[in-house]
């Protein structure tokens, strides 16, 4: 069709998108063009701004590597990652969910740890943390024999692979739930940490006067055939940035109550005060048990 005025562009492009053979790709492309054209009209995007936008998209790719994904980081910083997660879990976004963002620090093949064991593998100063967790199905029945990967940052906010002072696989472990669907372990209390700000995301945060921090959290990846693999994070309710996570990952369901204890531990004599206890319950939904691709090689 011959385009005479700006209004003619959108139906012309949509007519072409409608020819897409794959029905799902067709649906996505029609919606994308509709919203993208609407966005350009809403904002009266200038030619200069359009060139800037193209440069930003290019920079997202240029700033990404085997160990850093600026595109995922910007998606998180715009709430896109969380929205995708919430829409695809919790009965299609109608109820709360244990699912959350994978993040960049999961590693395959964490060492196996027996329940009650400790995942502190090298001297890691900080308050002790005792986590006890249950894994249930959505009707509350305990799930025995689920494989659970746990990983978290140190009390100064660094993962072991970012910190030469930590032993390989420090603060990581693989557990199996017992007959009551429980697993439990000792560690140290994690701290929140800043996301990388050297690229596009850093510029966005600066323009909006946003801090770059994620609140302290414990990552869990729970695998059991017959259930959708749970990728989760449990956030510390005493973190100052709980309500302003730069990646918008915190939900009410994922906020864990880290209970501070100033009295001696009742059974473990070497625990200094204060120490912390965290009880938490993960829920698995029916679905496919699949390991994600590890972000770290
Ligand atoms: Fe993390």
């Amino acid at each position: 069709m011959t385009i005479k005025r700006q209004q003619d562009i959108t139906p012309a492009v949509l007519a072409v998108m409608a020819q897409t053979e794959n029905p799902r790709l067709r649906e996505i492309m029609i919606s994308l063009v509709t919203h993208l054209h609407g966005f350009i009209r809403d904002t009266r995007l200038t030619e200069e701004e359009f060139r800037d936008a193209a440069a930003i998209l290019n920079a997202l790719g240029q700033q990404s590597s085997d160990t850093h994904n600026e595109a995922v980081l910007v998606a998180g910083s715009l709430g896109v990652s969380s929205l995708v997660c919430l829409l695809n879990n919790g009965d299609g976004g109608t109820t709360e969910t244990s699912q959350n963002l994978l993040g960049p620090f999961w590693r395959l093949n964490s060492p196996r740890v027996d329940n009650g064991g400790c995942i502190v593998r090298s001297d890691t100063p900080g308050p002790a943390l005792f986590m006890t967790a249950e894994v249930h199905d959505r009707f509350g029945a305990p799930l025995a024999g689920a494989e659970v990967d746990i990983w978290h940052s140190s009390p100064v906010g660094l993962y072991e692979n970012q910190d030469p002072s930590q032993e390989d696989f420090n603060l990581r472990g693989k557990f199996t739930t017992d007959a009551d669907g429980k697993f439990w372990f000792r560690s140290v209390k994690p701290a929140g940490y800043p996301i990388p700000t050297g690229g596009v995301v850093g510029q966005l945060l600066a323009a909006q006067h946003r801090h770059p921090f994620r609140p302290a959290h414990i990552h869990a990846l729970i695998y059991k055939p017959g259930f959708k693999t749970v990728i989760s994070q449990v956030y510390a309710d005493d973190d100052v940035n709980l309500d302003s996570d730069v990646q918008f990952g915190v939900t009410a369901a994922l906020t864990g109550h880290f209970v501070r204890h100033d009295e001696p531990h009742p059974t473990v004599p070497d625990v200094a005060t204060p120490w912390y206890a965290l009880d938490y319950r993960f829920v698995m939904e029916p679905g496919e048990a699949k390991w994600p691709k590890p972000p770290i090689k």
Side-chain angles (χ1 to χ4, degrees), residues 64-96:
S64 297
S65 67
D66 278 353
T67 54
H68 176 81
N69 194 326
E70 192 75 7
V72 169
L73 210 55
V74 83
S77 305
L78 296 173
V80 170
S81 315
S82 266
L83 177 58
V84 171
C85 175
L86 291 169
L87 267 179
N88 284 283
N89 294 286
D91 272 336
T94 58
T95 62
E96 53 187 28

Side-chain angles (χ1 to χ4, degrees), residues 82 86 96-97 99-100 235 242 248-256 280:
S82 266
L86 291 169
E96 53 187 28
T97 176
Q99 297 280 0
N100 202 225
Y235 296 93
L242 188 72
F248 300 99
V250 178
T251 64
L254 293 169
T255 302
Y280 191 76

Side-chain angles (χ1 to χ4, degrees), residues 101-105 151-153 159 193 214-215 217-219 233 235:
L101 315 173
L102 178 63
F105 295 119
W151 70 104
H152 66 80
S153 66
Y159 289 83
Y193 54 84
R214 306 215 63 224
H217 52 271
I218 293 180
H219 291 270
Q233 301 187 34
Y235 296 93

Side-chain angles (χ1 to χ4, degrees), residues 150-162:
I150 291 290
W151 70 104
H152 66 80
S153 66
S154 72
V156 297
L158 291 171
Y159 289 83
E160 48 87 22
N161 50 293
Q162 301 175 297

Side-chain angles (χ1 to χ4, degrees), residues 64-291:
S64 297
S65 67
D66 278 353
T67 54
H68 176 81
N69 194 326
E70 192 75 7
V72 169
L73 210 55
V74 83
S77 305
L78 296 173
V80 170
S81 315
S82 266
L83 177 58
V84 171
C85 175
L86 291 169
L87 267 179
N88 284 283
N89 294 286
D91 272 336
T94 58
T95 62
E96 53 187 28
T97 176
S98 294
Q99 297 280 0
N100 202 225
L101 315 173
L102 178 63
F105 295 119
W106 178 58
R107 289 178 70 182
L108 262 181
N109 304 321
S110 273
R112 288 216 164 259
V113 181
D114 288 337
N115 280 315
C118 183
I119 59 173
V120 183
R121 301 172 197 282
S122 57
D123 187 32
T124 314
L129 169 72
F130 293 85
M131 181 172 183
T132 305
E134 295 173 37
V135 181
H136 287 187
D137 71 11
R138 58 181 171 171
F139 306 108
L143 295 175
E147 275 190 64
V148 185
D149 265 16
I150 291 290
W151 70 104
H152 66 80
S153 66
S154 72
V156 297
L158 291 171
Y159 289 83
E160 48 87 22
N161 50 293
Q162 301 175 297
D163 178 4
S165 80
Q166 295 183 51
E167 191 68 36
D168 201 26
F169 285 103
N170 192 39
L171 314 183
R172 295 177 187 265
K174 187 187 279 293
F175 300 84
T176 304
T177 56
D178 72 2
D180 299 320
K182 290 189 176 174
F183 67 95
W184 62 99
F185 62 91
R186 176 178 176 174
S187 190
V188 284
K189 191 169 187 273
Y193 54 84
I195 61 169
T197 53
V200 167
V201 171
Q203 292 173 307
L204 175 70
L205 300 186
Q208 298 174 332
H209 304 292
R210 289 165 63 185
H211 72 71
F213 282 87
R214 306 215 63 224
H217 52 271
I218 293 180
H219 291 270
L221 196 155
I222 310 175
Y223 179 92
K224 184 176 169 69
F227 296 88
K228 182 170 177 179
T229 300
V230 166
I231 294 169
S232 193
Q233 301 187 34
V234 182
Y235 296 93
D237 62 345
D238 59 355
D239 194 292
V240 291
N241 296 316
L242 188 72
D243 292 328
S244 60
D245 177 11
V246 66
Q247 297 285 284
F248 300 99
V250 178
T251 64
L254 293 169
T255 302
H257 186 31
F258 284 59
V259 181
R260 177 181 162 133
H261 289 271
D262 289 293
E263 74 285 1
H265 192 280
T267 55
V268 188
D270 71 317
V271 177
T273 55
W275 54 277
Y276 289 81
L278 169 66
D279 288 343
Y280 191 76
R281 197 175 94 161
F282 297 95
V283 178
M284 299 190 87
E285 293 190 61
E288 196 182 350
K290 234 176 20 183
W291 293 101

